[in-house]
Amino acid sequence: MTPGDQHPDAPAAQPLRSDAERNRERIIAAARTVFARDGLNASMASVAREAGVGIATMFRRFPTKAELVDAVFIDRMDAYFEAVAIALDNPDPWHGFVGYVETACSMQAADYGFADLLTTTFPSAKALERRRNEAYEGMVELIGRAKATGRLREDFDPSDLVLVHMANAGVVNATGAAAPDAWRRVVALLIQSFEAPAHGPLPASPEHEALYQAMLRPGPQGDVT
């Protein structure tokens, strides 16, 4: 028996009471609304207000923002992973690569929270980060295939996709409802710059550890105001 196994004679874990489960679902639904509207900088207190529950109830169900983010966005991270899988299935790797970039950026444009999520890492959100890592492995394979066709410039690095998501998130958050399709032009400009033949060398890509640190934004765990 491993340390995590339950003894055969031990009582089974009890499901949440119906009122507790309703509160949990209400909080998740409220968080989807608040994060989509305000991004991941939205506070836990604002989610509690949207859900109509007290802050103590909020923290009983979700002790940290990372746990709430995990519950809210795991289905969207699944859809993001699926976008990578669809791109890998495309018989033309360059078109698969372009389709992936456009789909991922479209998902960011539709949801400010998801726009932030692709540029932020939550190490304690285990399911979310596992899915993100699986998607990243698929993207690395996709990039290699697109380069092999000669259509993607040779100096394109997987970290450049993180920079694309950071740039797109900035455009989405800056233009908002005033120019909701501005991101499409920016993404098209970026895609055209990725295509071979390159018109000049690029500066060095950021070190992967430095980029990871940039994604570890301060304050996501304890923001309650």
Side-chain angles (χ1 to χ4, degrees), residues 19 23 114 146-147 199 219:
D19 58 336
N23 281 340
F114 193 75
K147 284 183 179 180
H199 295 290

Side-chain angles (χ1 to χ4, degrees), residues 24 28 32 67-81 114 117 125-132 134:
R24 184 179 188 279
I28 291 173
R32 285 196 175 113
E67 291 177 68
L68 179 59
V69 167
D70 205 1
V72 168
F73 287 106
I74 186 59
D75 59 336
R76 293 176 204 190
M77 192 58 79
D78 284 344
Y80 177 70
F81 174 84
F114 193 75
L117 183 68
K126 300 300 185 184
L128 198 68
E129 292 303 315
R130 181 170 59 252
R131 206 57 162 160
R132 187 205 301 269
E134 290 169 349

Side-chain angles (χ1 to χ4, degrees), residues 109-110 112 168-186:
Y112 287 1
N168 192 51
V171 171
V172 166
N173 282 287
T175 56
D181 290 328
W183 68 272
R184 296 183 185 277
R185 183 174 178 87
V186 174

Side-chain angles (χ1 to χ4, degrees), residues 6-198:
Q6 190 176 43
H7 190 280
D9 297 328
Q14 296 300 309
L16 289 175
R17 299 191 319 271
S18 59
D19 58 336
E21 181 59 28
R22 283 194 298 270
N23 281 340
R24 184 179 188 279
E25 293 305 316
R26 187 180 300 127
I27 290 167
I28 291 173
R32 285 196 175 113
T33 298
V34 171
F35 290 151
R37 182 186 67 220
D38 302 331
L40 294 186
N41 285 331
S43 68
M44 296 284 272
S46 65
V47 173
R49 286 192 294 271
E50 179 75 21
V53 301
I55 196 68
T57 298
M58 162 73 75
F59 280 104
R60 276 197 300 273
R61 299 281 74 84
F62 297 99
T64 68
K65 182 181 276 190
E67 291 177 68
L68 179 59
V69 167
D70 205 1
V72 168
F73 287 106
I74 186 59
D75 59 336
R76 293 176 204 190
M77 192 58 79
D78 284 344
Y80 177 70
F81 174 84
E82 183 64 19
V84 177
I86 290 171
L88 285 168
D89 283 343
N90 193 309
D92 184 325
W94 169 252
H95 288 155
F97 172 81
V98 170
Y100 156 73
V101 172
E102 291 174 342
T103 298
C105 290
S106 176
M107 292 173 69
Q108 286 186 294
D111 185 325
Y112 287 1
F114 193 75
D116 288 342
L117 183 68
L118 289 188
T119 66
T120 310
T121 188
F122 292 87
S124 58
K126 300 300 185 184
L128 198 68
E129 292 303 315
R130 181 170 59 252
R131 206 57 162 160
R132 187 205 301 269
N133 289 337
E134 290 169 349
Y136 179 80
E137 291 171 4
M139 288 188 296
V140 171
E141 181 178 351
L142 179 62
I143 289 167
R145 291 184 188 181
K147 284 183 179 180
T149 68
R151 296 290 301 279
L152 178 62
R153 57 187 299 159
E154 276 297 323
D155 56 358
F156 187 90
D157 186 85
S159 64
D160 291 327
L161 286 176
V162 180
L163 298 179
V164 169
H165 294 321
M166 288 180 171
N168 192 51
V171 171
V172 166
N173 282 287
T175 56
D181 290 328
W183 68 272
R184 296 183 185 277
R185 183 174 178 87
V186 174
V187 170
L189 289 168
L190 289 171
I191 288 172
Q192 289 181 31
S193 74
F194 300 153
E195 192 167 8

